[in-house]
């Protein structure tokens, strides 16, 4: 039994049973849903059908014969986002633990709205970490990979300081100066294929995991059909800087192949992420992320 933690300040990650005023706890007995008694072996999902986005009342008790209490909450249509949040939070906590908080972790779920939201939310707050693991696994594609690459490949050109603040600014703004690695797998698809390809092309760091999906020919919507279907036509192929077709039909090969085998996954491990941590710690021995120290205050008097 589990109650997903969620990030209730974001609608995408709202966890109904953790919202303010909802007195529900792991281990509670559900006695009724909207006044309908729930008895074994009845399926509680039957009583929750078609009740998303409306207030539902639970009758809960901390013991089978305990005092019941009524709890009102608003269910979700799907737990997918909360499962994703739990997975990324677990990954981030693992990286933090294995590196004593020195290495950042960013997962990009796609190259569209969700991917940009997650990148902005987690990259900028970790920009002064000593190193960064960029996770492109299970990336569903889109069209923003070049925007992400542009931010990751920025190089430090200068620093700037305020009169009364020792914290340095950078030129350009938001420059990550430490080593990076990129994780990819069989489900890194479309623009999620292009991203690791360009990550390596830009010299940002090694690729770790499994060969990506291998489908990067872009499509256009050519209109609806009478039966309600749509016609999508493949139109946009990708060639490398030497003029050779690239990625389509093969994918992007990692520099370091690591299999997330079923036994490891069932044991709660992530060998690909563990190898990424090992490689980034090795890279940190020779490449430092620290910005140059503040120079002595200039003397402006003769």
């Amino acid at each position: 039994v589990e109650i997903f933690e969620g990030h209730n300040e974001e609608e995408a990650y709202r966890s109904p049973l953790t919202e303010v005023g909802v007195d529900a706890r792991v281990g509670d007995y559900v006695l009724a849903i909207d006044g309908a008694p729930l008895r074994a072996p009845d399926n509680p999902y039957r009583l929750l059908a078609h009740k998303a986005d409306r207030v539902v009342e639970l009758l809960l008790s901390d013991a089978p014969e305990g005092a019941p209490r009524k709890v009102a909450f608003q269910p979700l249509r799907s737990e997918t986002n909360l499962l994703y949040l739990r997975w990324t939070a677990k990954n981030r906590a693992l990286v933090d633990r294995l590196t004593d908080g020195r290495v950042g972790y960013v997962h990009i779920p796609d190259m569209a709205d969700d991917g940009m939201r997650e990148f902005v939310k987690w990259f900028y707050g970790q920009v002064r970490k000593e190193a960064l693991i960029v996770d492109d696994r299970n990336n569903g594609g889109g069209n923003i990979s070049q925007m992400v690459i542009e931010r990751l490949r920025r190089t430090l050109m200068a620093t700037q300081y305020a009169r009364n603040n020792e914290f340095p600014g950078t030129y350009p703004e938001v420059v990550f100066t430490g080593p990076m690695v990129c994780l990819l797998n069989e489900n890194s698809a479309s623009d999620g294929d292009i991203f690791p390809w360009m990550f390596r092309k830009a010299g940002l760091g090694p690729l770790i995991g499994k060969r990506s999906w291998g489908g990067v020919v872009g499509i256009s919507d050519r209109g609806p059909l009478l039966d309600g279907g749509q016609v999508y036509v493949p139109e946009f192929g990708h060639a490398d800087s030497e003029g050779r077709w690239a990625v389509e039909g093969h994918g992007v090969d990692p520099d370091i192949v690591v299999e997330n085998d079923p036994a490891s996954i069932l044991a709660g491990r992530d060998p690909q992420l563990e190898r990424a941590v090992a490689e980034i710690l090795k890279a940190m021995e020779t490449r430092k992320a620290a910005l140059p120290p503040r120079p002595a205050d200039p003397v402006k008097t003769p």
Side-chain angles (χ1 to χ4, degrees), residues 119-196:
F119 179 77
V120 169
K121 183 169 70 173
W122 293 108
F123 172 69
Y124 290 94
Q126 300 182 95
V127 74
R128 291 281 72 87
K129 292 278 191 177
E130 296 179 46
L132 184 66
I133 296 172
V134 183
D135 195 344
D136 182 62
R137 293 177 297 177
N138 308 311
N139 185 298
N143 58 9
I144 65 163
S145 67
Q146 56 190 298
M147 299 171 66
V148 178
I149 290 292
E150 185 276 328
R151 283 155 179 79
L152 293 177
R153 74 181 303 190
R154 288 179 178 178
T155 57
L156 180 67
M157 300 175 67
T159 56
Q160 57 188 19
Y161 294 88
R163 175 182 58 82
N164 57 355
N165 189 346
E166 292 296 318
F167 188 80
T170 61
Y171 186 97
E173 292 185 355
V174 191
V175 178
F176 189 82
T177 56
M180 291 181 271
V181 300
C182 176
L183 285 167
L184 73 166
N185 68 2
E186 303 91 331
N187 296 318
S188 301
S190 192
D191 207 27
D193 275 298
I194 293 172
F195 177 77

Side-chain angles (χ1 to χ4, degrees), residues 102-104 126 129-134 152 176-182 199 203-206 276 279-290:
R102 299 166 63 197
V103 176
Q126 300 182 95
K129 292 278 191 177
E130 296 179 46
L132 184 66
I133 296 172
V134 183
L152 293 177
F176 189 82
T177 56
M180 291 181 271
V181 300
C182 176
F199 188 95
L204 297 177
E279 293 299 320
I280 205 70
L281 288 174
K282 189 187 305 180
M284 289 164 63
E285 296 175 2
T286 55
R287 179 177 171 184
K288 305 301 180 183

Side-chain angles (χ1 to χ4, degrees), residues 65-78:
E65 304 300 329
R69 64 185 187 280
K70 293 181 179 180
V71 173
F73 79 111
Q74 185 171 317
L76 300 172
R77 291 182 179 275
S78 171

Side-chain angles (χ1 to χ4, degrees), residues 22 107 134:
V22 180
H107 181 264
V134 183

Side-chain angles (χ1 to χ4, degrees), residues 233-276:
V233 179
E235 296 194 52
F236 311 104
H238 292 269
D240 62 22
S241 57
E242 286 74 41
R244 299 168 300 198
W245 296 115
V247 182
E248 180 67 28
H250 179 80
V252 179
D253 291 299
D255 300 297
I256 302 171
V257 177
V258 180
E259 177 81 48
N260 267 10
D261 60 284
S264 296
I265 298 301
L266 291 173
R269 292 182 53 224
D270 187 338
Q272 292 171 344
L273 185 57
E274 292 167 9
R275 182 62 181 271

